Amino acid sequence: MNSSDDLHGGRESATPASTTGLDLEDCLVGIVGRSNVLADPDVKLAYEVDWTRRFEGRSAFVVRPGSTDEVSAVLAACSGRGVAVVPQGGNTGLVGGGVPSDASAGCVVLSTRRLNTVSQIDRLSGQVTVGAGVTLASLQAAAAAEGLTFPVDLAARESATVGGMIATNAGGLHVIAYGPMRSRVVGLEAVLSDGTVISHLAGLLKDNTGYDLSQLLVGSEGTLAVVTAARLTLVASHAERVVVLLGVASTSEAVRMIEVLRREVEGIKAAEVFFEDGLELVCAHSHLSRPLKGNFPAYLLVEAAGRSDRSEAMFEALASLDIDEEATAVGLDAGSMAALWEYRERHTEAVSALGIPHKLDVTLPIALLGEFELAVRKLVADTAPDARLVLFGHAGDGNLHVNIVGPSPTDETLDEQVLELVASMGGSISAEHGIGRAKARWLHLSRSDSEIRSMQAIKAALDPTGTLNPAVLFSCK
Ligand code: 2HG
Ligand code: ZN
């Protein structure tokens, strides 16, 4: 029931072995059909520039396979000809990991968006098998129709695909409750660069039979294989929700409150932070009225959900924290909860409207989040006083999004200084967006030489031709 045939059907267009003598375009057309080989520069552009507009590169073709067999044939054709392949999902990535670069010039972009089948949800196991091109929003809707939830959630849900989220081990808004994408993956189907299909979609929770290849591919950023389908776990839906937005004095204060709220209120699903300048920007950009009467240095957005009403426990905990009523906005119905979430979720688009941002997605040990916030503000003010710094993120798991607008997209002076600061405080230079090509030259700040050598050995074993995403993750090939 969960085989690739069930998901993607038809094998009729897979490449016959004799196509290796063909010109690449003819070969690709033979595999996926003319309408799924894009060669027109204007049409390809949407696949060649990333969401931030900071990363782009030219491809020879964009190919849109419609089945696992077609992915396999495309990869065999490209690797056999020494042509690099850049896998791409919804192109919502923020580190240049899904678009061509100089290092992969003349490559093929392999879009997985047509692998968009959702199999019937298995209510007994609470699992579903989906194609890599299924969007997060479609997956969430399919789960909701069965009274279940796919709990990884992020603002780009309408476009982000399951395959891309697996490749980057996406985190998002509910990591403190449900973990990142990795926690939801019980098996994958994927294709190696030589066309070999590896499939492990039975969804057995207990399954100790050697290396967990599926988990190895989670977070591998398209460098080891192209994910074509995934077996994912769902959770029970929680009908009762409450969202509060609190004006607070500082990040350290927000962190202290999160500790109390997580202890006192069962079912905390999110604890997000943003700041006065970001709120001002979002309100102006999205024409929103301010959520609270006063201005506060920082804002903490907290959501709790459960089968029974969470609001009473939330209010009791807030009372124990002695928070001023003027500093509190509460959402109890769907509309008011969504309105509060907008202040947080609209940061990304508001920042992009200022210019091309440098995006540094980092995690700190949560106890140091406040100290880091102050240090990064000082660093940017000292180094580039004219730059615009907008901070926001997932305070509950120590993940801050450092957005800097002003320095030219190619000037990486501040990027390096911020990442060095993160490393010096025991943090990680990539929390949830991946290394991509944006941070490949700084991988050593978060990984030791022996770790990097081990990762390169795995890369060489699974992708010996170096076909897959050659510019991503490692800076020296
Ligand atoms: C979010 O948390 C996303 O909204 C995007 O991870 C972060 O735009 C960003 O820097
Ligand atoms: Zn985020």
Side-chain angles (χ1 to χ4, degrees):
M1 158 169 181
N2 298 316
S3 75
S4 57
D5 289 350
D6 294 314
L7 273 173
H8 308 310
R11 287 172 178 267
E12 69 281 354
S13 55
T15 313
S18 61
T19 56
T20 45
L22 287 179
D23 144 81
L24 178 63
E25 183 169 10
D26 290 345
C27 179
L28 295 172
V29 168
I31 298 166
V32 298
R34 168 46 68 203
S35 60
N36 290 306
V37 178
L38 313 180
D40 179 334
D42 293 337
V43 180
K44 284 189 301 169
L45 203 60
Y47 299 82
E48 294 177 337
V49 183
D50 85 326
W51 194 90
T52 68
R53 297 156 288 153
R54 188 169 169 218
F55 301 101
E56 64 178 297
R58 300 286 81 86
S59 63
F61 305 104
V62 174
V63 181
R64 300 164 18 100
S67 69
T68 302
D69 286 340
E70 289 184 5
V71 172
S72 164
V74 167
L75 284 170
C78 290
S79 61
R81 289 169 171 78
V83 174
V85 174
V86 174
Q88 187 184 95
N91 198 10
T92 58
L94 300 172
V95 288
V99 290
S101 66
D102 290 347
S104 56
C107 69
V108 163
V109 172
L110 190 161
S111 168
T112 57
R113 278 186 243 180
R114 287 182 63 228
L115 306 176
N116 57 4
T117 311
V118 179
S119 75
Q120 196 177 0
I121 289 174
D122 178 348
R123 294 172 67 118
L124 195 56
S125 65
Q127 295 179 3
V128 64
T129 302
V130 297
V134 169
T135 64
L136 174 57
S138 310
L139 170 58
Q140 289 173 335
E146 294 289 331
L148 294 164
T149 297
F150 184 71
V152 178
D153 194 20
L154 36 88
R157 58 184 76 78
E158 296 296 333
S159 314
T161 61
V162 165
M165 291 174 67
I166 289 169
T168 54
N169 187 25
L173 309 170
H174 300 311
V175 166
I176 52 173
Y178 299 107
M181 203 62 187
R182 183 183 297 292
S183 322
R184 317 278 25 121
V185 171
V186 282
L188 291 182
E189 177 193 77
V191 187
L192 303 182
S193 62
D194 66 358
T196 303
V197 177
I198 50 175
S199 186
H200 206 75
L201 293 171
L204 303 174
L205 289 184
K206 288 189 168 173
D207 186 12
N208 288 348
T209 49
Y211 303 143
D212 190 333
L213 299 175
S214 300
Q215 286 295 335
L216 174 63
L217 297 185
V218 181
S220 65
E221 303 190 41
T223 61
L224 299 180
V226 176
V227 172
T228 48
R231 184 77 175 168
L232 303 169
T233 53
L234 307 170
V235 299
S237 291
H238 289 142
E240 300 292 338
R241 293 168 61 208
V242 56
V243 175
V244 292
L245 179 67
L246 309 171
V248 297
S250 65
T251 303
S252 300
E253 182 68 2
V255 166
R256 191 182 68 78
M257 288 178 179
I258 292 170
E259 193 217 318
V260 174
L261 293 171
R262 290 189 75 184
R263 202 176 48 234
E264 300 298 327
V265 185
E266 206 184 311
I268 298 284
K269 305 287 187 236
E272 303 279 308
V273 71
F274 49 89
F275 300 89
E276 177 56 30
D277 49 359
L279 176 64
E280 192 73 48
L281 182 68
V282 166
C283 289
H285 176 75
S286 302
H287 309 291
L288 301 176
S289 51
R290 293 184 59 94
L292 301 173
K293 273 207 194 107
N295 293 2
F296 296 85
Y299 296 85
L300 174 62
L301 182 84
V302 180
E303 172 165 338
R307 286 200 180 268
S308 58
D309 184 17
R310 303 282 86 222
S311 57
E312 209 173 302
M314 179 72 88
F315 297 147
E316 269 174 31
L318 293 180
S320 78
L321 286 169
D322 215 12
I323 300 171
D324 197 345
E325 228 173 82
E326 298 234 316
T328 312
V330 180
L332 289 170
D333 57 85
S336 58
M337 288 188 282
L340 291 179
W341 267 108
E342 277 199 72
Y343 296 108
R344 162 62 184 85
E345 289 201 331
R346 286 185 178 270
H347 270 69
T348 298
E349 65 194 58
V351 168
S352 261
L354 294 175
I356 296 181
H358 291 247
K359 285 188 170 287
L360 302 163
D361 149 55
V362 300
T363 314
L364 277 299
I366 187 158
L368 299 182
L369 206 58
E371 194 183 314
F372 173 75
E373 184 232 318
L374 300 178
V376 80
R377 285 193 193 284
K378 179 166 177 352
L379 174 65
V380 174
D382 290 349
T383 314
D386 296 332
R388 187 90 180 254
L389 169 68
V390 183
L391 300 171
F392 57 95
H394 316 285
D397 54 43
N399 177 191
L400 265 196
H401 296 307
V402 178
N403 280 256
I404 304 170
V405 185
S408 131
T410 52
D411 177 356
E412 297 187 316
T413 316
L414 258 176
D415 304 49
E416 179 158 274
Q417 290 176 348
V418 172
L419 298 180
E420 280 172 351
L421 173 66
V422 169
S424 74
M425 294 178 74
S428 166
I429 65 164
S430 170
E432 58 173 1
H433 296 169
I435 292 292
R437 52 197 248 226
K439 296 178 185 166
R441 52 183 276 226
W442 296 297
L443 182 61
H444 63 93
L445 291 175
S446 283
R447 293 302 191 111
S448 65
D449 284 353
S450 48
E451 281 181 298
I452 293 173
R453 276 199 306 276
S454 301
M455 289 198 272
Q456 285 171 328
I458 293 169
K459 166 78 175 168
L462 294 189
D463 180 22
T465 48
T467 299
L468 287 167
N469 244 359
V472 165
L473 198 51
F474 308 111
S475 58
C476 33
K477 292 276 156 324

